[in-house]
Amino acid sequence: MGVLNDRVAIISGAGTGLGRAASISFASEGADVVLLGRRKAKLEETAAAVKQKTGKDALILQTDVSDEQQVLDTVTAALQQRGRIDIILNNAAVFEPGTVLELTSDEWQNQIATNLTGPFLLTKAVLPAMRKAKYGRIINITSGLSWNGAGGYAAYSAAKAGLESLTRTLADEEHEHGILVNLYNPGTLRTEMHATGKDPAIVTPDLIRLATLPVGGPTGTILSYG
């Protein structure tokens, strides 16, 4: 019996990296996982890994989280096919370099759309179901760049800072409905976005902890690996 038995977890950016590792880890603990991402082939690879390692069938919903209609359609489909959504892992991200002087408006908007607006849209779409259930665990992936900035990564740093503020706001708004909203900073991971760093699987126990917080547990906080 896993600690996430009978829970449904929706994971954005599930096709690679931390999203894939988390999908496998959550399913290993008994969760039904719903995989979101823009590249269907990558989602299918994750679903195959989940099946191989856990025997569970993942639900694939190809989604651009920055597109509100796609997000609404995805959440509707997830609720229809799984009956509930207990956990959101807002992991989808775009990590592109660019100083304030160099970035075009479109490049700026693209990173803000995925890294900040995406979590807003996905969370907003799921909140009514979580409120009705009086239960929800929302995990937003952040970065040290959110507070110290980083020359050359203006849009990413600003988006993550915004996400941290959004998380604290949501925590304040939703705690009375049994919904806990927290941040997780995994540090540098070896993914498509970064060639060096830790294996993403190393940090998934922390995500399990945040996904299984008890009633009245911490909310609006940030947990960092190590």
Side-chain angles (χ1 to χ4, degrees), residues 8-10 34 74-76 78-79 82-88 126 129-130 133 135-136:
V8 177
I10 193 165
V34 182
T74 283
V75 170
T76 297
L79 289 170
R82 291 296 185 263
R84 57 193 294 165
I85 298 171
D86 302 290
I87 300 156
I88 305 172
V126 174
M130 286 186 167
Y135 183 91

Side-chain angles (χ1 to χ4, degrees), residues 64-226:
D64 180 346
V65 294
S66 70
D67 184 307
E68 185 169 20
Q69 192 57 55
Q70 287 189 41
V71 170
L72 291 170
D73 291 346
T74 283
V75 170
T76 297
L79 289 170
Q80 287 175 343
Q81 296 187 53
R82 291 296 185 263
R84 57 193 294 165
I85 298 171
D86 302 290
I87 300 156
I88 305 172
L89 177 60
N90 279 308
N91 168 69
V94 175
F95 184 67
E96 298 289 349
T99 65
V100 171
L101 185 61
E102 292 167 345
L103 283 168
T104 67
S105 177
D106 284 347
E107 288 168 343
W108 169 271
Q109 294 290 354
N110 179 52
Q111 292 198 58
I112 299 297
T114 298
N115 299 341
L116 179 55
T117 305
F120 162 74
L121 292 174
L122 184 55
T123 300
K124 178 180 170 66
V126 174
L127 279 178
M130 286 186 167
R131 282 189 172 193
K132 186 176 180 180
K134 294 183 168 52
Y135 183 91
R137 301 293 180 266
I138 301 171
I139 307 165
N140 294 330
I141 301 299
T142 189
S143 161
L145 301 191
S146 64
W147 56 269
N148 63 9
Y153 291 92
Y156 182 84
S157 300
K160 290 300 186 182
L163 182 61
E164 292 196 5
S165 182
L166 176 65
T167 300
R168 290 187 287 270
T169 299
L170 278 165
D172 190 47
E173 293 174 349
E174 299 301 328
H175 69 93
E176 65 187 274
H177 302 286
I179 300 168
L180 305 180
V181 194
N182 290 287
L183 292 148
Y184 183 65
N185 176 9
T188 303
L189 300 178
R190 188 171 64 254
T191 67
E192 277 192 344
M193 294 194 305
H194 206 281
T196 61
K198 302 181 292 291
D199 181 337
I202 290 173
V203 307
T204 58
D206 288 340
L207 299 178
I208 297 292
R209 282 175 55 198
L210 292 173
T212 56
L213 288 172
V215 173
T219 190
T221 67
I222 180 167
L223 176 66
S224 298
Y225 175 76

Side-chain angles (χ1 to χ4, degrees), residues 32-51:
D32 287 322
V33 293
V34 182
L35 312 180
L36 274 54
R38 287 183 289 192
R39 295 176 293 175
K40 189 173 183 181
K42 291 294 184 182
L43 296 177
E44 289 171 344
E45 290 175 9
T46 297
V50 168
K51 181 72 170 178

